[in-house]
Amino acid sequence: MKVRIELDYKTPKGTETSFISDEMNPAHALLIVEDLEKTGRVKSVQFIDNQDSSWTMKDLKKFMQGIQTEPHNVTVYFDGGFDIGTKRSGLGCAIYYEQNGKSFRLRKNALVEELDTNNEAEYAAFHLALKELELLGVHHLPVTFIGDSQVVINQMNEEWPCYEEELNKWIDRIEGKLEALGIIPEYRLVPRKKNGEADQLASQALKNVDIMSTIEITK
């Protein structure tokens, strides 16, 4: 989740103005507001999240304390590839998240044989990522999903219609899982070169190289 700060400010001589910040990590937003409040010139402040819901400072602090022991600030990269020669599909996902004050990366791939097109493989990779999020215990949080498939991203964003029966089944399956987990999705389309990690995982699956790993990311 990201939030923007909206506050009213009053100078010692009584001049008042309002500020609206860019979106940022809630922890950073809290630090900035706490610093500003030390001046004694902040008249009122609220935090607005991605869904345009308003948070008080007290409520946002409580929320942040509550999620520290659970996976949060989750970003998912996914990719799927279909080999028309072998009729096999490689699926890959890389999940970045924070938990207990640390940063982690989970990588997972899979080889499947029941799909018929590259678009189905892309959706299956998305669904694979959702299953991993469920195993991680991610729930009732915003999650950013990043992929290079225009079909998947634009159809999930409802910017493109879907006329294919099999893809509609995948969309229903994915939306059902998102709803069950309480995940609020944000979709981001990137060029293939920006999705290299998930693409490599999918390619490794097609070569019968199984990947399942979680590491801590040190800065």
Side-chain angles (χ1 to χ4, degrees):
M1 179 176 73
K2 290 188 176 182
V3 299
R4 66 179 184 269
I5 304 167
E6 295 187 1
L7 62 83
D8 295 323
Y9 188 87
K10 186 176 182 178
T11 70
K13 294 184 177 181
T15 302
E16 298 184 15
T17 190
S18 298
F19 291 101
I20 300 177
S21 75
D22 293 332
E23 289 189 340
M24 65 186 74
N25 182 294
H28 294 165
L30 286 169
L31 284 173
I32 290 170
V33 171
E34 286 175 346
D35 188 63
L36 284 170
E37 286 193 330
K38 291 177 183 178
T39 66
R41 298 169 188 170
V42 176
K43 290 187 61 181
S44 64
V45 63
Q46 62 178 345
F47 304 88
I48 309 298
D49 65 21
N50 310 70
Q51 305 301 309
D52 286 329
S53 297
S54 176
W55 299 70
T56 65
M57 193 163 180
K58 179 180 179 181
D59 288 340
L60 190 57
K61 281 184 176 180
K62 184 177 179 181
F63 171 78
M64 292 299 294
Q65 290 172 354
I67 68 171
Q68 287 305 308
T69 58
E70 299 180 359
H72 58 282
N73 289 340
V74 183
T75 299
V76 175
Y77 293 83
F78 69 93
D79 197 26
F82 177 70
D83 188 328
I84 194 169
T86 62
K87 301 294 185 181
R88 301 193 305 175
S89 299
L91 318 178
C93 65
I95 301 172
Y96 291 81
Y97 63 97
E98 296 177 16
Q99 187 173 14
N100 293 318
K102 299 178 180 179
S103 299
F104 297 91
R105 182 196 66 191
L106 181 153
R107 299 167 72 219
K108 169 71 175 177
N109 70 358
L111 178 67
V112 296
E113 299 184 356
E114 64 270 18
L115 308 179
D116 296 314
T117 67
N118 193 73
N119 287 334
E120 284 186 74
E122 293 279 7
Y123 271 110
F126 192 132
H127 192 259
L128 173 70
L130 281 178
K131 290 192 290 185
E132 292 303 315
L133 291 180
E134 184 174 23
L135 291 172
L136 273 175
V138 176
H139 63 92
H140 297 92
L141 288 173
V143 174
T144 301
F145 294 93
I146 300 174
D148 57 56
S149 169
Q150 292 189 49
V151 171
V152 173
I153 298 298
N154 288 325
Q155 286 180 345
M156 292 304 299
N157 262 332
E158 299 184 347
E159 293 181 5
W160 287 8
C162 181
Y163 301 111
E164 298 178 48
E165 183 179 353
E166 286 303 315
L167 298 190
N168 270 313
K169 289 179 181 178
W170 279 110
I171 291 171
D172 290 342
R173 191 176 298 134
I174 288 169
E175 289 182 339
K177 180 67 75 174
L178 288 169
E179 183 176 357
L181 295 176
I183 289 175
I184 304 167
E186 175 188 345
Y187 302 109
R188 189 184 307 165
L189 179 65
V190 296
R192 180 171 295 276
K193 63 182 180 180
K194 296 285 189 179
N195 199 31
E197 187 172 22
D199 177 70
Q200 182 180 24
L201 288 165
S203 297
Q204 288 173 310
L206 284 170
K207 297 174 183 176
N208 292 308
V209 178
D210 295 329
I211 304 292
M212 176 62 204
S213 67
T214 301
I215 65 168
E216 180 182 346
I217 301 172
T218 57
K219 298 180 181 180

